Amino acid sequence: AQSVTQLDSHVSVSEGTPVLLRCNYSSSYSPSLFWYVQHPNKGLQLLLKYTSAATLVKGINGFEAEFKKSETSFHLTKPSAHMSDAAEYFCVVNDPTKTSYDKVIFGPGTSLSVIP
Amino acid sequence: GAVVSQHPSRVICKSGTSVKIECRSLDFQATTMFWYRQFPKKSLMLMATSNEGSKATYEQGVEKDKFLINHASLTLSTLTVTSAHPEDSSFYICSAKKGLAGEGQFFGPGTRLTVL
């Protein structure tokens, strides 16, 4: 069975410092992995996705993530946090098997706070 | 592009009434759409998978007679919350699957339901 773990429920960084949001997954198949961001009372925005191509994936707004199969991780990073990055971040794994209709599983989320 | 819209964005209703939420894929056809529920400060919980022209597949614990799903066309799925009660108050988010397996889903902006 697939699962997604986000080790930190809350991360707080100072503006201009690096951001690291951790994600680990378990999957019986070759998964697709995604990071989404959700600002308060808003929908989800796709930051980036890994679909078995390059293991280092660059996304929008300066975010990137590295797929490490040996560590079953897909951590999200950004070199320098901006105030507008404060939001909820979800790591998501996709099971591309036919019978699952391409369902995705959401991690519990990490709330990122950015201190001025 | 891959834009998914939801209508309404916010609805307030009285207990005992029914509420319909629409999910539309604006620039692509979606044979499969998904409905999620999100409680405050929580992750998204998959409620059901909606397939065009067939019955929806509900997740365990989700009452199919309570949450009626209709996927009448390749661009529209509706979720009707029947006989709504205050505990049904939540943020409902739909998503649509585009293209091949593993490409993930595109999410709507969500609908905030408040039942008085």
Side-chain angles (χ1 to χ4, degrees), chain A residues 6 8-12 21 86-89 108-113, chain B residues 41:
Chain A
Q6 291 181 246
D8 306 301
S9 59
H10 184 83
V11 170
S12 184
L21 304 182
E88 190 80 16
Y89 291 79
T110 297
S111 177
L112 175 65
S113 298
Chain B
K41 300 188 183 300

Side-chain angles (χ1 to χ4, degrees), chain B residues 13-31:
Chain B
C13 69
K14 293 182 178 180
S15 186
T17 61
S18 294
V19 174
K20 179 185 285 188
I21 303 170
E22 292 184 349
C23 177
R24 293 182 185 273
S25 56
L26 298 185
D27 51 2
F28 66 100
Q29 293 183 329
T31 55

Side-chain angles (χ1 to χ4, degrees), chain A residues 44, chain B residues 1-6 23-30 33 74-76 94-98 105-109:
Chain A
L44 294 160
Chain B
V3 180
V4 176
S5 70
Q6 280 183 244
C23 177
R24 293 182 185 273
S25 56
L26 298 185
D27 51 2
F28 66 100
Q29 293 183 329
M33 291 184 172
L74 288 171
T75 58
L76 173 64
C94 75
S95 70
K97 175 176 173 292
K98 177 186 178 187
Q105 302 169 16
F106 295 90
F107 289 83

Side-chain angles (χ1 to χ4, degrees), chain A residues 60-73:
Chain A
I60 62 171
N61 300 336
F63 285 95
E64 62 180 41
E66 186 172 7
F67 174 71
K68 292 186 176 181
K69 187 175 182 178
S70 62
E71 299 177 9
T72 60
S73 68

Side-chain angles (χ1 to χ4, degrees), chain A residues 31-54:
Chain A
S32 295
L33 294 157
F34 309 81
W35 275 98
Y36 287 89
V37 61
Q38 184 181 35
H39 288 89
N41 296 310
K42 299 290 185 182
L44 294 160
Q45 181 182 23
L46 178 66
L47 285 176
L48 49 81
K49 64 180 180 181
Y50 166 77
T51 55
S52 74

